[in-house]
Amino acid sequence: MRAILISALLALASPFAHAAGDAGAGAQKAKPCAACHGADFSTPISADIPLLAGQYEDYLARALADYKSGARKNPIMGGQAGALSPQDILDLAAYFAGLPGKLKVIPLHRLVQ
Ligand code: HEC
């Protein structure tokens, strides 16, 4: 029993455990982003700027990581993401994903008949 408890605690402390974003920290880091993406991150200042509120967390983290690495090229967002640390990216993604938003997807069963 004790061995199980110890190995469970070790698993939790593992550096290979899933990294988690802190939405509260993300809210602070997101302040400069509101200038374009809108104060609620659901009403961007122009139609070519995507909605972030309610987007999938892993999608957002991937998008930011790809802007940072250059895998996804955009002069504006490349500059924005360049200074973000991996933890910043996780925190921002957790924050945006938890916001109420207008994004929705069509259920798969309606697309594949
Ligand atoms: C100067 C305006 C501007 C600012 C400031 C800005 N963005 Fe963006 N953002 C854009 C534009 C334009 C795009 C679309 C780029 C493209 O076509 O790939 C975008 C795209 C994104 C995407 C991809 C969304 C998707 O659906 O693929 C994410 C995530 C994102 N921004 C997060 C951020 C974060 C986080 C910040 C603050 C650190 C930020 N943005 C600041 C203009 C801005």
Side-chain angles (χ1 to χ4, degrees):
M1 188 63 194
R2 194 178 165 156
I4 293 171
L5 186 64
I6 289 171
S7 50
L9 288 172
L10 282 175
L12 283 175
S14 162
F16 303 109
H18 175 70
D22 176 342
Q28 294 305 311
K29 296 171 183 177
K31 289 202 157 76
C33 320
C36 294
H37 289 279
D40 61 358
F41 297 99
S42 210
T43 44
I45 59 167
S46 88
D48 62 342
I49 300 179
L51 310 186
L52 303 180
Q55 180 55 276
Y56 292 114
E57 186 171 351
D58 56 352
Y59 174 91
L60 291 164
R62 179 59 187 264
L64 291 170
D66 283 352
Y67 286 130
K68 185 175 166 70
S69 74
R72 180 169 170 180
K73 294 184 193 346
N74 179 264
I76 297 172
M77 280 310 302
Q80 293 292 323
L84 299 176
S85 71
Q87 189 63 51
D88 292 339
I89 289 177
L90 294 174
D91 293 348
L92 287 161
Y95 172 60
F96 297 135
L99 294 175
K102 303 175 219 161
L103 287 170
K104 56 178 180 258
V105 294
I106 304 295
L108 191 59
H109 71 267
R110 282 175 46 194
L111 300 175
V112 182
Q113 305 272 336

